[in-house]
Amino acid sequence: MAVKNLLKKERVEFIQKRLDELYPETPVPLHHRDPYTLLVAVLLSAQCTDERVNQVTPALWKLADNPEDMAQVPVEKIQEVIRPCGLSPQKSKAISKLSKILVNEYHGKVPENMAALETLPGVGHKTASVVMSQAFGHPAFPVDTHIHRLAQRWGLTSGKNVVQTEKDLKRLFPRENWNKLHLQIIFYGREYCSARGCDGTVCEICTTCYPARKNPKKTKKA
């Protein structure tokens, strides 16, 4: 009897169930104390590992861990501390500018508003989504390159870009699961379905969803 791949509805149900089993708890990988330190940590994580960010932020928080103090720190000093994260010239300027904006326009508070967050220097849609979901608890589905890749391997999106992938995932999974699921997929990707460790034919979720898949799944970059 021919082996059949799961239907999309079956894939969605299996993925949700298996991720809940593997990752019942989803601690935020980036160390932070409040919405501001999370915002800065997420900004630093662009093209950098969470592990590296967590190594760098303690020294940064010693310099300043709130918008008022950070706004007073020279950009060169911020850049010196965050250099190991990469893109330090752009990131240090963004941290300095957004801190000044928070002080001048938002009474030193991170706005609990997606549109307002997206206007801050260095803060794109993904970073704003992470802050809205993980700092404020609003349903959001931040999609990075890893989630984009896994969603394609699992047949959940056509994979044109991260915007399309976010829309597709939001449509497939219940709103109340988004915040947790975003982290569960990241954890699973790192542990079992990494860029080099799986090509769509190796890990448990890929092989369960697509038992008939013979060739590696080519994914489109975000």
Side-chain angles (χ1 to χ4, degrees), residues 79-127:
Q79 185 178 343
E80 198 179 305
V81 173
I82 68 166
R83 188 168 279 115
C85 289
L87 305 176
S88 61
Q90 302 95 307
K91 289 177 181 178
S92 55
K93 284 176 193 161
I95 290 168
S96 178
K97 282 181 186 171
L98 75 81
S99 298
K100 288 170 182 166
I101 291 169
L102 293 180
V103 171
N104 295 330
E105 298 180 25
Y106 298 101
H107 310 289
K109 302 285 185 194
V110 175
E112 195 172 333
N113 178 287
M114 182 73 87
L117 283 168
E118 288 180 343
T119 65
L120 296 173
V123 179
H125 179 70
K126 187 215 135 193
T127 298

Side-chain angles (χ1 to χ4, degrees), residues 2-19:
V3 179
K4 286 188 179 178
N5 294 328
L6 299 188
L7 299 172
K8 185 179 275 190
K9 184 173 182 292
E10 294 170 327
R11 293 199 301 274
V12 168
E13 287 171 1
F14 171 74
I15 289 164
Q16 182 73 76
K17 180 172 176 289
R18 192 66 188 111
L19 291 177

